[in-house]
Amino acid sequence: MIQLENITWSTGARVILDDVTLTVPSDTYAVLMGSTGCGKTTLLEVLCGLRQPQKGRVLIEGRDVTALEPRERGIGYVPQDLALFPALKVFDQIAFALNLRRLPADARVRELADELAIAHLLERQPEALSGGEKQRVAIARALAASPKLLLLDEPLSALDEAMRGEAATMLKRIQQQHHLTVLHVTHSHAEATQLADLRLSFANGRVTPL
Amino acid sequence: MNRSQQCWLALAVITASYVIFWLLLLGASAAYATPDSWLRVLASPEIRHATWLSLISCTAAAGFALLLAIPVGYFMSRKSFPGKAWLDAALDIPIILPPLVVGLCLLIFFQTFAGKLIEKVIPFTYTVAGVVLAQFVVAASFAIRTMRGTFDHLSARPEEVALTLGCTRFQALWHVALPAARRGMVAAFCIAWARSLGEFGPILVFAGATRMKTEVLPTTVWLELSVGNLEAAVSVSLLMVLMAILVLVIVRRTGEKV
């Protein structure tokens, strides 16, 4: 379960998150909708610990993680630009979190690669991948260490219309198979309709249920 | 010819003129040096010693400069803090200081209590270690600037994702930022090496110009000029040009492969 309690984050005079409170129950696919530039990415960054809120608490599965570093939160994060590691081939991207923990990587990487249909790409460098392939690699990388929460920042925005439906189906399947709590931010009503168990709206620094 | 083509032509002429000017300079020097003077230079034990010392000291200074430039460049690129603009300007001090002043600063520092303590462990003044230090203090500023530019051009997002995957900040630097910055590291090393090869003023003041001891190739040029041996000075200068081109081509080729 994800809980944000009275989170405030501002830069200079501009308040991006204004006393934001939200709850996403476990095993739920939540879609947070808001216009471009309204602060959706900031909210995800506060949640995964890349930004420290000036006020409020972040709770994951009931545990207060506000003061914890990103690495201690157990969250899988797929940013909008995907941010694949420039110098690593696909296998090493997916194995990254496992190698850090000194866990056996080979079987897990191949299992995820099969699941996301990227087994034929494992030896490629990121610059040799298409947009859709990069997106699946970024998701596999985020899932490798078996997080219970997955944060997706506009995950379908870089895909063309034909691929979006297929990718949305894949995201829903992954959420159900891995029993994940997902927070997916987007400005697309179509994505929300197709995917959401819980729909949230984000405007003027505040989150409200739809 | 339309306006756009005229503009490109003008720019091409300016570029070509600059390159031709440099080729003429080098060509004139090459024509001045006779085969005899080349042979004398290559046969001279003092100049052979200066060549080896230049190669070794430049490589050591560039290596140390890179080791310093990576953490400083990363810090300056990724971290915001009050007074950053002042620190940024301070890092450029060795670039803007007159070279002789850099040497003088080094010489005076090693006369202080702290400097004398350091010299009890490693003697720097008028030693080979002093040559490397004099090259390092200036080369490091250029290497820092290059590494900072490299990290500025690399997105910080992959490192942030690495933090969520379990990395500490140091691990994100080591596993994500550094592999992505390999070409920048090669470039920083090249710039530091080339800068060190041409360093003269600080070495002369701080390490001296003792033959077969602290003489590097720029010192040789100065020593030969001071006794009126222009042919030898030109031959040594051309030797430096060849060495610089050779090393930079080798390192660039290596850099393209990494």
Side-chain angles (χ1 to χ4, degrees):
Chain A
M1 184 163 71
I2 303 169
Q3 288 169 281
L4 295 182
E5 288 181 358
N6 310 107
I7 293 288
T8 298
W9 194 88
S10 58
T11 172
R14 191 172 165 226
V15 179
I16 309 290
L17 305 177
D18 183 12
D19 205 31
V20 169
T21 295
L22 74 82
T23 301
V24 179
S26 296
D27 292 346
T28 301
Y29 201 118
V31 175
L32 177 69
M33 295 177 61
S35 56
T36 303
C38 71
K40 303 188 296 291
T41 298
T42 305
L43 189 136
L44 292 189
E45 288 176 345
V46 166
L47 195 44
C48 63
L50 295 171
R51 291 180 197 264
Q52 198 60 29
Q54 281 122 6
K55 211 185 92 190
R57 297 199 305 162
V58 179
L59 293 99
I60 293 170
E61 308 297 352
R63 186 171 67 122
D64 185 349
V65 299
T66 318
L68 296 187
E69 289 186 45
R71 67 193 171 93
E72 298 167 310
R73 298 191 181 199
I75 294 176
Y77 175 45
V78 180
Q80 187 175 4
D81 59 4
L82 304 174
L84 294 182
F85 304 139
L88 298 186
K89 60 185 182 181
V90 169
F91 183 97
D92 296 323
Q93 307 258 354
I94 303 172
F96 191 86
L98 301 165
N99 290 339
L100 277 175
R101 292 164 175 77
R102 299 182 194 285
L103 293 171
D106 197 68
R108 175 73 174 150
V109 170
R110 290 184 195 285
E111 178 193 332
L112 282 167
D114 286 338
E115 189 182 339
L116 288 151
I118 49 173
H120 60 295
L121 305 173
L122 289 175
E123 295 304 311
R124 288 212 198 153
Q125 293 290 330
E127 62 267 21
L129 302 174
S130 69
E133 289 167 345
K134 282 181 184 170
Q135 183 217 39
R136 281 179 278 154
V137 172
I139 293 170
R141 180 181 64 178
L143 293 176
S146 307
K148 298 311 292 174
L149 309 180
L150 184 62
L151 308 182
L152 303 169
D153 191 355
E154 306 259 9
L156 309 181
S157 62
L159 304 180
D160 59 42
E161 202 62 48
M163 290 180 70
R164 266 187 211 166
E166 191 186 322
T169 309
M170 176 195 75
L171 290 176
K172 190 71 181 175
R173 175 172 53 78
I174 287 169
Q175 185 256 332
Q176 288 169 344
Q177 281 180 355
H178 292 259
H179 304 289
L180 294 167
T181 306
V182 172
L183 182 58
H184 170 141
V185 304
T186 181
H187 56 264
S188 160
H189 284 275
E191 284 175 33
T193 307
Q194 188 175 356
L195 290 163
D197 302 322
L198 172 66
R199 290 169 70 169
L200 301 160
S201 165
F202 186 34
N204 303 318
R206 287 174 175 267
V207 174
T208 47
L210 279 174
Chain B
M1 187 181 290
N2 63 30
R3 287 285 172 90
S4 177
Q5 285 169 325
Q6 284 174 3
C7 175
W8 288 121
L9 183 63
L11 297 175
V13 167
I14 292 168
T15 310
S17 306
Y18 179 68
V19 173
I20 289 166
F21 171 67
W22 262 107
L23 289 175
L24 286 172
L25 288 183
L26 292 173
S29 299
Y32 191 87
T34 60
D36 264 4
S37 67
W38 269 103
L39 286 174
R40 275 202 303 278
V41 161
L42 293 175
S44 159
E46 289 86 2
I47 293 175
R48 282 217 300 267
H49 179 273
T51 306
W52 278 113
L53 183 57
S54 278
L55 283 173
I56 292 165
S57 64
C58 289
T59 306
F64 289 131
L66 186 60
L67 285 178
L68 179 74
I70 291 168
V72 176
Y74 186 74
F75 177 66
M76 294 302 289
S77 173
R78 293 288 188 262
K79 190 72 185 161
S80 296
F81 53 89
K84 184 174 175 179
W86 288 101
L87 180 58
D88 195 30
L91 289 170
D92 282 342
I93 285 175
I95 295 175
I96 55 166
L97 277 185
L100 287 173
V101 176
V102 174
L104 206 57
C105 290
L106 283 168
L107 198 61
I108 290 167
F109 171 74
F110 282 99
Q111 301 306 311
T112 63
F113 179 71
K116 282 178 180 166
L117 273 182
I118 294 169
E119 289 228 275
K120 280 186 181 167
V121 185
I122 309 172
F124 280 103
T125 315
Y126 302 120
T127 66
V128 170
V131 173
V132 175
L133 182 60
Q135 290 171 331
F136 164 81
V137 289
V138 180
S141 285
F142 288 90
I144 287 170
R145 203 126 288 281
T146 308
M147 285 314 300
R148 189 198 165 159
T150 300
F151 288 124
D152 281 346
H153 281 96
L154 289 172
S155 165
R157 301 294 289 166
E159 293 152 46
E160 291 176 347
V161 171
L163 296 179
T164 70
L165 290 172
C167 276
T168 61
R169 176 56 75 173
F170 180 76
Q171 286 173 321
L173 164 65
W174 187 259
H175 293 301
V176 179
L178 280 191
R182 281 181 298 194
R183 288 192 178 185
M185 286 157 65
V186 171
F189 182 88
C190 284
I191 287 165
W193 195 92
R195 180 67 215 179
S196 299
L197 183 68
E199 204 59 73
F200 171 61
I203 296 175
L204 185 70
V205 175
F206 181 55
T210 314
R211 293 221 111 153
M212 303 298 281
K213 194 181 173 201
T214 58
E215 180 189 358
V216 284
L217 287 174
T219 325
T220 309
V221 174
W222 180 72
L223 287 173
E224 296 297 341
L225 273 177
S226 64
V227 294
N229 193 352
L230 189 57
E231 278 194 5
V234 169
S235 299
V236 174
S237 302
L238 288 172
L239 182 64
M240 284 170 65
V241 171
L242 287 177
M243 278 169 57
I245 291 172
L246 190 67
V247 171
L248 294 186
V249 166
I250 291 169
V251 179
R252 284 267 168 183
R253 284 266 171 97
T254 316
E256 281 166 14
K257 284 180 194 162
V258 295

